[in-house]
Amino acid sequence: MSENSQNKDTSSVEKVAEKARELEAIYDVVQDPLVLIDSDFQIQRANLATILFAKNNKYDELLDRKCYEVLYQRTDICPYCPKINVKSKEKNQTYSTPITREIFFRSEDKKQTLLLEFYPYPKQEDLFWMVEKISDVTKQRDKEEESFRMRNLASLGILISGIAHELNNPLTGISLTLQNLKANWQNQPPEQIEKRLDMIKNDVSRAAIIVSDIISFAKTDKVKVTLGDIVETINRAKDTVIRLYPHLSKNIVWRISCDHDYQFPFHPGKMERLFMNLFRNSLQAFDYRPGEISIEIRKTKNWLHIIVEDNAGGIPDSIIQKIFDPFFTSNKSGTGTGLGLSICHSIVKEHDGNISVKSSEQKTRFTISFPLTNDITEQNP
């Protein structure tokens, strides 16, 4: 062999060696362990992070040893190892997508969550090696679990806030009636005392219905309905709101327009809560100013339409699409939970109805439509 040929061969070997050192430098800076495992489960190559993970001080102590012994301190093949199944893969199959496993691993009384990624490497025909990448995702999973717990706590807070919001109406009514009784019971005739006791009884019943709804919160049963007079229910909701908010209602003119009584199947308690929330929302918008709340009832062939309108100033275009969202409120005083209109929307949907809102010329109009079909069957409440 000539001297020139020998020089060329030497140069080629040096270039290959240099490339190998460059590749070694690249995968040694990877923070996660990278391991090349042959068909006999023996480690053939590994990066620096693997030495640290396996608690070995010397690179040579890793080579030609069983991967499950060095990495996971096991005496047999790991049950989550996909390597056995690799041999059954088709010859021309691509391996750009890794096979992943997430495991719990204990090392020196330290619990870790490891994400293992296996990249099958076709060494020869019908012979596969495996590149294994080991990522410690313990902190990531802990953060995800903490985030999940926080979301659960937030959901619990939402539920508690909703319960408090709903129970506040009957409890306020009971409190006001009891205060009136305490101050005047000696001077009032028996029929007035009996009337106020009936008001307390009705508020207690309303609170009991709310609690019953909470208990059955997880159930998906269709709302139970009974044939009722919607005009009577609207008037009852109006009277209750006036009693609960006497100062807000003081300068309000109420107008209810309907040509006759309208009856259809609905849940009386929930329907009353629907209009109480709507009326209270209007009263709060007036903010003690004089104004008018009008309720108009119309009937078409298959629908009953109830229009509630106030002239309290209207709703800005920037927020009108958000008013039915839970916990959205435009009240800058910090009072209110932003649940009122969300509850209205929920009750309407429970009755297979629709609710919409329009605002213009300082007026806000809610249109509520209920189907008058045989789809809602009459039941006892």
Side-chain angles (χ1 to χ4, degrees):
M1 181 179 294
S2 67
E3 184 176 348
N4 288 337
S5 297
Q6 289 179 349
N7 290 337
K8 288 182 179 179
D9 291 341
T10 302
S11 176
S12 298
V13 172
E14 289 177 351
K15 288 181 180 180
V16 171
E18 180 63 24
K19 292 293 183 183
R21 286 192 293 271
E22 291 174 357
L23 292 174
E24 185 176 350
I26 290 173
Y27 66 71
D28 270 345
V29 298
V30 177
Q31 298 298 309
D32 295 328
L34 288 172
V35 190
L36 178 62
I37 304 168
D38 67 16
S39 56
D40 294 323
F41 300 95
Q42 292 181 337
I43 297 176
Q44 295 300 317
R45 298 194 70 83
N47 66 346
L48 182 60
T50 305
I51 300 174
L52 300 176
F53 178 81
K55 307 295 190 298
N56 282 308
N57 296 322
K58 296 181 180 180
Y59 177 77
D60 293 340
E61 294 178 358
L62 296 177
L63 302 181
D64 297 324
R65 290 182 58 193
K66 300 294 186 182
C67 57
Y68 49 82
E69 293 177 355
V70 174
L71 300 176
Y72 305 111
Q73 294 82 57
R74 299 181 62 92
T75 58
D76 54 0
I77 300 172
C78 303
Y80 41 81
C81 179
K83 192 171 185 304
I84 299 175
N85 298 326
V86 172
K87 295 180 180 179
S88 63
K89 289 182 176 291
E90 296 179 6
K91 179 179 179 180
N92 297 325
Q93 185 171 346
T94 59
Y95 303 100
S96 58
T97 302
I99 302 168
T100 60
R101 300 284 190 271
E102 188 168 305
I103 67 168
F104 297 101
F105 180 64
R106 181 187 294 273
S107 176
E108 297 180 354
D109 296 328
K110 179 183 177 182
K111 293 182 179 179
Q112 294 175 288
T113 303
L114 302 179
L115 177 65
L116 311 182
E117 297 176 80
F118 300 92
Y119 297 83
Y121 167 60
K123 179 69 173 177
Q124 298 174 4
E125 187 175 358
D126 297 329
L127 180 63
F128 290 88
W129 286 14
M130 186 80 71
V131 176
E132 179 177 352
K133 179 174 179 286
I134 305 171
S135 303
D136 186 351
V137 294
T138 307
K139 292 183 179 180
Q140 179 182 339
R141 293 296 179 262
D142 288 345
K143 288 181 179 179
E144 290 173 355
E145 290 182 7
E146 180 64 20
S147 176
F148 179 73
R149 285 193 292 269
M150 294 301 294
R151 289 197 299 270
N152 282 345
L153 287 174
S155 298
L156 181 60
I158 289 171
L159 178 61
I160 293 172
S161 178
I163 294 170
H165 177 85
E166 284 287 86
L167 285 176
N168 186 59
N169 286 333
L171 291 179
T172 301
I174 293 171
S175 176
L176 292 174
T177 306
L178 285 175
Q179 290 177 30
N180 185 276
L181 275 175
K182 184 178 180 180
N184 304 294
W185 70 274
Q186 291 179 331
N187 302 323
Q188 289 188 349
E191 57 270 17
Q192 287 296 325
I193 294 177
E194 184 176 354
K195 179 181 178 181
R196 281 166 173 73
L197 290 175
D198 286 338
M199 292 167 64
I200 293 174
K201 180 182 177 181
N202 290 335
D203 284 332
V204 170
S205 298
R206 205 160 18 240
I209 291 173
I210 294 170
V211 172
S212 177
D213 288 346
I214 295 168
I215 292 173
S216 60
F217 183 76
K219 296 183 179 180
T220 57
D221 297 342
K222 191 176 180 65
V223 62
K224 294 183 178 180
V225 298
T226 186
L227 192 64
D229 186 343
I230 191 63
V231 179
E232 180 182 325
T233 300
I234 291 173
N235 275 303
R236 190 164 57 247
K238 181 200 74 172
D239 294 341
T240 301
V241 167
I242 292 174
R243 179 168 61 89
L244 294 176
Y245 305 98
H247 298 295
L248 284 173
S249 307
K250 183 178 180 180
N251 298 314
I252 302 300
V253 176
W254 297 80
R255 303 188 188 280
I256 300 179
S257 174
C258 57
D259 49 13
H260 58 78
D261 294 340
Y262 292 97
Q263 293 191 345
F264 74 101
F266 60 86
H267 188 291
K270 291 192 174 186
M271 196 64 69
E272 184 176 346
R273 284 159 57 194
L274 161 65
F275 290 104
M276 282 178 60
N277 279 309
L278 276 180
F279 297 157
R280 180 178 59 245
N281 192 71
S282 294
L283 291 178
Q284 291 174 341
F286 281 113
D287 194 21
Y288 302 98
R289 293 179 289 112
E292 179 179 300
I293 298 176
S294 64
I295 303 100
E296 183 180 359
I297 305 174
R298 303 174 184 171
K299 184 179 180 182
T300 59
K301 183 177 180 180
N302 295 319
W303 291 87
L304 182 71
H305 306 283
I306 304 165
I307 301 166
V308 179
E309 184 177 272
D310 66 57
N311 58 351
I315 303 174
D317 292 339
S318 58
I319 66 172
I320 197 168
Q321 300 298 326
K322 304 177 183 178
I323 62 172
F324 294 116
D325 294 346
F327 308 104
F328 174 80
T329 177
S330 59
N331 194 329
K332 297 180 180 179
S333 65
T335 60
T337 61
L339 283 166
L341 292 178
S342 176
I343 291 171
C344 293
H345 185 271
S346 176
I347 293 173
V348 170
K349 290 302 180 182
E350 283 181 327
H351 289 77
D352 297 326
N354 300 309
I355 182 170
S356 61
V357 60
K358 291 183 178 180
S359 185
S360 62
E361 299 178 355
Q362 303 297 305
K363 294 182 179 181
T364 301
R365 169 179 288 195
F366 288 91
T367 301
I368 307 163
S369 303
F370 295 109
L372 298 177
T373 66
N374 294 326
D375 293 339
I376 304 178
T377 58
E378 182 179 347
Q379 302 179 34
N380 293 323

